[in-house]
Structures are given as C-alpha cells and as structure tokens.
Amino acid sequence: MVFRKPYALLIKYFKIIHIVITIFMIYLTYKTVNLYKFFASYVKTGWSSLNAEEINSYIGPLIFISIFIIVILALVIFFLMRFKNKPRVYYLLTPIIYLILLIIFIYTLSVLKTAEFDVVSPITSRITRDILMIAIGIQFLFIVFSLFRAIGFDIKKFNFKQDIADLQIGELDNEEVELNLEVDKYKISRMAKRRVRNVSYIFKEHKFIFSLLLFIVFGSLITYFALNKFVLSPTYKEGRQVDLGNYDIIINKSYVTNKDYKSKIINKNNKYILVSFSIINKIQDMVFNMNNVSLNLNDKIYYPVTNIYSDFIDIGNGYIDQKLNTKKENNYFLVFKIPNEEKINNPILQYTISKKYDKNNNLQNKYKKFKLNPINDDNITIIEKKLRENSNISGNELLINEYSINNKFEYSYKLCTTNSNCENKTYQVNTENSLDNSLILMLNISATMGEYNNSSIKNLTDFIEKFGSITYTLNNQTYNQSNLNLLNTNTFNGNEIFINIPSRINDASNIYLDINIRNIKYRYKLN
C-alpha cells in the first residue's frame, strides 16, 4: 500500500484550516456572549424562567463539536510546525485554552440546569457571569491571531508576507511511502518494540505537553464532579443551615431506634429514623410542607408518619401542621418507619423544591438533600452526677440538693385560684396505711426549666415522671423502677418531689436517680 506524507497537504490548505478554526472560534464566542448576557440579566433580576429547550439553545451539541474540531486542528498544525521547526506556542496554547473553555461550558450548563428548577444563589450567578466575561476576552484574542493566519498576515513582523511561504514545501513533504502487507512475525515484533521505544522517546521529549494534557483532562473530570457534588447539587451535613425559600432549615440530629422514651420496644417488625430539625421562618403564618419531605434509604423512598409521636417525647414536638413562629427558631422532629430487616446505609433526607414533567410525562423532582448520620440508641452513654452538682439536661438546669426516705412527709405549697389570689397550704403525703408497705423518696431539687420542646412537658414533675427512673442495688442484684408514681403532681411547691418506692430500697447499698434522654443517661448517686 502506498500513501503520501500529509505535510504537503497540510501546508497547501494551511489558510483554509485557519479559516475553519476561526469560524468555529467566532461561533463559540457568539454563544459565550449570549450566556454572558443571560447571567448579567440574572444578576440584576435574581430570577429567570428556563426550560430544557431554552437551555439547549444556549449550550447545544454544536458547542462541544466545535471545541473538539478546534483542539484537533490546532494539534495537527502544532505537529506540522514542530516538524518544520517553526514557532508553535500559539498552537500549543489553543487546545489548552479551549479545553478550559470546555470546562466553563460544562460548569455553565450545570448552573443553567439548576436555574431550570431552582433559584441560583447571587454568588454563583455573579461568579458565572464574571468567568464568561473573561472567556469572551480571551477568545477574542485567539480569533484575531487565527484570522491573521488565515489571511496570510504575519503578526510578528507586521508585513504582508504569507506564513505559508515560510513553511517551505519540499519534495520530502510529498514523498510516497510503500507498505508491504506480507506478514512477518519477527519483523512485526521488532517493529512493535521500536514503536514502543519511539513512543517512550516522544513522551520523554514532550513530557511537559503530555503531562499538561493529562492534567487538563483529569482536572476537567474532577472539576465537573466537584461542581455537581458541592456547588450545584450539594448534599448538606447535619448542623448546616440551608435556605428552602420561605424558610431556612437546620437538621440538628438524627436517631435510629425501635424503643420509646422509656426504652421499651415499640414494634418488633419495625425500626424508626427520627430527624430533629429547626426551622427559621421568614413569612408570617407559614407552615412546613411535609408533603415535600421524604427519606431515601437504599434507593427506597419513605415518608413521615405522625401517629407515633407520643413514643418519642424525649426528642421534642413532632411536626404535623403547626404554624411557624417568625420571631424564634421552631424546633420539631419527624419520624420515618423502616422495616426491621432494612440496613441503615447512608440515609438521605430529601426536600422537594420543584416538580416538573418531562416529554414522556414522567415526574422529575429537584431536591435539597441532607446526609443523615443517625445515632443508634442501643449505645447508651452514662454521665455520672453527684448530689449538689449542677447539670444541664436538654436545656434544663438541675441540681439535687438532698434526698430523704420515709413513710410520711409534710410540706407547704401555694394554692392560687387566680393570678392574684393565692394562699399557703400545708399538705401531707404518707404510705403508712399502704398494703405493700411502700416508702416515699423525697427529692429536693433546684431547677430552672428551659423552654422544653414538647407540649406534654410543662414543669419539673412532668420531666421527672416521664424521663426519670430509680435504680438500686440489693444483695448484689440491680433493680430498676422505670414507672415513677409522683405523689404531689397537683400540689408541687417548686422544689420538693415525692416518689412512691418499694420498702426494700431502704436496705439498698446503692440508690440512683436516672434521667434518660434517648441515648444519654444522667445518673445521680443518692446514697
């Protein structure tokens, strides 16, 4: 087989190649200008309506084809100039710059797709506008240089000599080469080894160029995925405040459990993911749209359930449809019921910010996503406390001053019929006539109750009754009384709490008051 070396052909059509490159450069600059105008307008208005067809009109397949053609032709001319030992810096810079431009177009396309469903942040839109403006200026310079090459103008010498004359077409550029197709294994093996050596020599000689191209390719891929993951479609971590339009949301904590607030198993067939969150409302009389919330777990979608909130009062108030306060944070939690056999692998909380149907009438949702890191309440942390040691439990300041065990106590409290009509009363609690010979544990507590996030917890007696338990050791065995019977819930004087306890506790070697808040146990040693 006989073919001709391509150098003569390339030299002959040197101008035409540059005209083709220039046309595609002008087209890319035109598309960049349109994109710049769009984002300049977007920065001013803060909003714009877009659909898939409009996005395609801004950035279509021809853009990527144009960049591919420019890069290939520039590299071809680069190797021609290298062969003829002519200046070639421009032809090295051209593919580099237009590969960078490719990254810019990919990034801009991602921003446009975000704008199709959501409002792009002012910072992102301004950055995109400024990048496009810089890209326009750089492309203009390359158009000028390519145009001068196309019309035969030597930009270095500023005379009208043609560069094509400098390339000096010789007989070697038009030389015919004969190929023999007969198979010779030894020759093929020797030729293959020679080719490998030649390639290694070429790579070593042009190590910088190859390294730069590899850097650009891998840099483009990394940039593309990083922009999509962290800028255009990020997945937020717990504790991050995120704008949802009418309100901001903060995912505070998440738990996975099958137990209620008393550590009793709710259902053997299910477990529950609890999500505690805070909402900062921006609009009066706004409600949180629970229909937009879902949980993606192992590519399965779960929705909140509201009929078991009473089992998780230690977390706070479950959200149903309460109006959101505009003056302070609104703290609630959601519950997702999960089959017990389902593994908890990277659960993602999703909030739908827009809905759209494609051409096939398939629903496409746009989400804000939150990566949950649920705490397993099987792992209990015990925090040891002593009498007269102050502690903060879920925003409540507690200090147990003293305790006493007896079968009878007398105390004073204030009885108020109205806010201004109050009188002091004396009341007695006793178990002298009880059939089980039970005793009474008196706890004198100084407490400052915070604004607890549950409507069923109104004061200290509610707090101790719901979350308290008594643990004691008797004859080397440990017993626990989880259901506390408070004797003065209606006559509470603000400090003294009276709890009905079994009589054998008086002989216990260790007595503890435990306050259980999900996976944390605050243990007060009483004796």
Side-chain angles (χ1 to χ4, degrees):
M1 182 182 293
V2 178
F3 71 96
R4 295 181 184 277
K5 289 186 177 180
Y7 301 119
L9 185 67
L10 293 175
I11 295 169
K12 182 178 180 181
Y13 294 104
F14 188 80
K15 286 186 179 181
I16 295 176
I17 292 172
H18 281 80
I19 290 173
V20 171
I21 291 176
T22 304
I23 291 171
F24 283 113
M25 285 181 171
I26 292 172
Y27 170 75
L28 291 175
T29 306
Y30 166 74
K31 301 301 286 186
T32 310
V33 169
N34 286 346
L35 286 168
Y36 170 78
K37 289 179 180 178
F38 171 82
F39 281 98
S41 173
Y42 199 101
V43 169
K44 290 181 180 179
T45 61
W47 181 85
S48 181
S49 177
L50 270 179
N51 56 44
E53 291 183 1
E54 289 173 324
I55 291 175
N56 193 57
S57 68
Y58 280 111
I59 301 179
L62 188 56
I63 282 180
F64 302 104
I65 294 172
S66 300
I67 292 175
F68 176 77
I69 292 173
I70 290 172
V71 170
I72 293 299
L73 291 177
L75 288 173
V76 168
I77 299 298
F78 169 79
F79 286 109
L80 170 65
M81 302 300 275
R82 175 178 170 276
F83 177 77
K84 302 299 290 184
N85 197 25
K86 298 296 179 181
R88 51 188 179 272
V89 175
Y90 167 75
Y91 301 103
L92 175 62
L93 289 177
T94 299
I96 294 173
I97 292 299
Y98 277 85
L99 285 173
I100 294 173
L101 184 64
L102 174 64
I103 298 173
I104 293 173
F105 277 120
I106 292 172
Y107 163 75
T108 307
L109 178 61
S110 300
V111 177
L112 289 175
K113 287 183 176 180
T114 300
E116 181 183 5
F117 297 102
D118 193 12
V119 176
V120 178
S121 69
I123 294 175
T124 302
S125 57
R126 283 196 294 268
I127 290 174
T128 307
R129 177 201 61 186
D130 295 342
I131 289 174
L132 291 169
M133 182 175 64
I134 295 169
I136 291 170
I138 294 174
Q139 287 180 86
F140 178 76
L141 294 176
F142 277 78
I143 287 173
V144 171
F145 198 100
S146 181
L147 187 62
F148 282 147
R149 287 282 177 169
I151 63 176
F153 187 86
D154 188 340
I155 197 169
K156 290 184 178 179
K157 300 176 182 178
F158 284 92
N159 57 28
F160 291 93
K161 291 181 180 180
Q162 297 179 352
D163 288 337
I164 196 168
D166 290 337
L167 291 176
Q168 301 171 359
I169 300 177
E171 292 183 4
L172 184 61
D173 299 317
N174 207 27
E175 180 183 7
E176 292 185 352
V177 180
E178 183 176 352
L179 292 180
N180 187 354
L181 298 179
E182 184 178 337
V183 177
D184 186 333
K185 293 183 180 180
Y186 174 74
K187 187 178 291 186
I188 291 174
S189 175
R190 189 177 59 183
M191 183 175 65
K193 291 179 181 179
R194 186 172 67 251
R195 293 297 183 191
V196 171
R197 286 197 304 273
N198 290 340
V199 168
S200 66
Y201 296 151
I202 293 171
F203 179 79
K204 289 177 181 178
E205 184 179 350
H206 301 284
K207 188 175 181 180
F208 173 75
I209 297 173
F210 285 112
S211 300
L212 190 60
L213 289 174
L214 287 174
F215 174 78
I216 291 171
V217 171
F218 285 107
S220 302
L221 293 173
I222 292 170
T223 302
Y224 175 75
F225 288 112
L227 287 171
N228 275 280
K229 183 173 179 62
F230 299 110
V231 179
L232 303 173
S233 184
T235 299
Y236 301 100
K237 294 182 179 180
E238 293 180 359
R240 174 83 177 271
Q241 183 171 327
V242 179
D243 182 14
L244 296 181
N246 294 327
Y247 33 72
D248 291 353
I249 189 170
I250 304 168
I251 305 300
N252 299 315
K253 283 184 179 180
S254 58
Y255 304 86
V256 57
T257 184
N258 61 350
K259 304 182 187 73
D260 64 8
Y261 68 94
K262 283 290 188 181
S263 296
K264 295 180 179 178
I265 293 177
I266 301 170
N267 189 314
K268 293 182 179 179
N269 298 321
N270 297 311
K271 53 190 169 188
Y272 305 89
I273 290 183
L274 317 177
V275 180
S276 169
F277 65 97
S278 300
I279 291 181
I280 302 170
N281 187 27
K282 303 174 185 177
I283 299 177
Q284 192 70 28
D285 295 332
M286 193 71 187
V287 295
F288 181 63
N289 191 347
M290 283 180 59
N291 295 326
N292 289 338
V293 180
S294 60
L295 180 74
N296 188 328
L297 179 64
N298 302 326
D299 293 327
K300 298 175 184 176
I301 303 299
Y302 300 90
Y303 296 94
V305 293
T306 60
N307 59 347
I308 54 172
Y309 283 157
S310 59
D311 290 321
F312 308 108
I313 60 174
D314 54 324
I315 304 298
N317 276 326
Y319 189 82
I320 301 176
D321 59 359
Q322 299 93 319
K323 288 185 178 180
L324 302 175
N325 197 316
T326 56
K327 297 180 180 179
K328 60 181 181 180
E329 282 189 0
N330 301 267
N331 300 302
Y332 296 100
F333 72 91
L334 296 173
V335 179
F336 299 89
K337 185 164 67 173
I338 311 296
N340 210 30
E341 63 274 8
E342 195 74 45
K343 292 184 178 180
I344 308 300
N345 295 324
N346 298 319
I348 300 293
L349 185 74
Q350 302 177 147
Y351 185 87
T352 305
I353 55 178
S354 64
K355 299 179 180 181
K356 186 178 180 181
Y357 290 90
D358 61 18
K359 295 178 180 179
N360 298 320
N361 207 32
N362 296 319
L363 180 62
Q364 293 181 331
N365 291 337
K366 185 74 174 180
Y367 300 106
K368 287 287 179 73
K369 298 179 181 181
F370 304 84
K371 186 180 186 304
L372 302 182
N373 187 24
I375 300 168
N376 193 324
D377 65 359
D378 288 337
N379 303 317
I380 303 297
T381 299
I382 298 178
I383 300 177
E384 303 281 353
K385 295 289 182 179
K386 298 177 182 178
L387 288 177
R388 292 174 288 279
E389 180 181 354
N390 192 41
S391 57
N392 185 302
I393 304 176
S394 297
N396 306 297
E397 298 289 337
L398 265 68
L399 187 148
I400 300 178
N401 299 303
E402 61 176 326
Y403 86 100
S404 180
I405 296 176
N406 209 326
N407 60 3
K408 181 173 64 175
F409 289 94
E410 189 174 277
Y411 67 97
S412 298
Y413 72 98
K414 187 175 289 188
L415 176 65
C416 296
T417 54
T418 64
N419 290 335
S420 58
N421 187 14
C422 297
E423 58 178 320
N424 292 322
K425 292 278 187 178
T426 300
Y427 191 78
Q428 187 182 84
V429 291
N430 71 79
T431 57
E432 289 179 332
N433 299 321
S434 64
L435 296 177
D436 58 357
N437 294 320
S438 60
L439 296 174
I440 299 171
L441 170 66
M442 186 278 295
L443 297 172
N444 185 295
I445 302 176
S446 298
T448 302
M449 301 303 293
E451 187 178 353
Y452 197 74
N453 298 327
N454 195 290
S455 55
S456 63
I457 309 297
K458 299 179 177 62
N459 53 37
L460 179 61
T461 57
D462 291 337
F463 187 80
I464 297 296
E465 187 175 40
K466 298 291 185 184
F467 306 131
S469 64
I470 303 294
T471 301
Y472 57 96
T473 305
L474 184 64
N475 299 325
N476 295 322
Q477 292 217 0
T478 300
Y479 301 88
N480 180 264
Q481 180 183 346
S482 59
N483 294 319
L484 300 185
N485 178 21
L486 272 63
L487 303 176
N488 65 325
T489 54
N490 295 324
T491 57
F492 178 55
N493 62 9
N495 292 103
E496 294 173 306
I497 288 178
F498 301 94
I499 303 172
N500 192 233
I501 58 174
S503 57
R504 64 181 180 178
I505 204 172
N506 215 15
D507 299 321
S509 56
N510 292 301
I511 305 174
Y512 303 95
L513 171 69
D514 293 334
I515 306 294
N516 307 286
I517 306 295
R518 195 50 53 181
N519 66 313
I520 300 178
K521 184 190 295 288
Y522 298 87
R523 171 160 286 181
Y524 292 85
K525 191 174 190 313
L526 300 181
N527 65 343

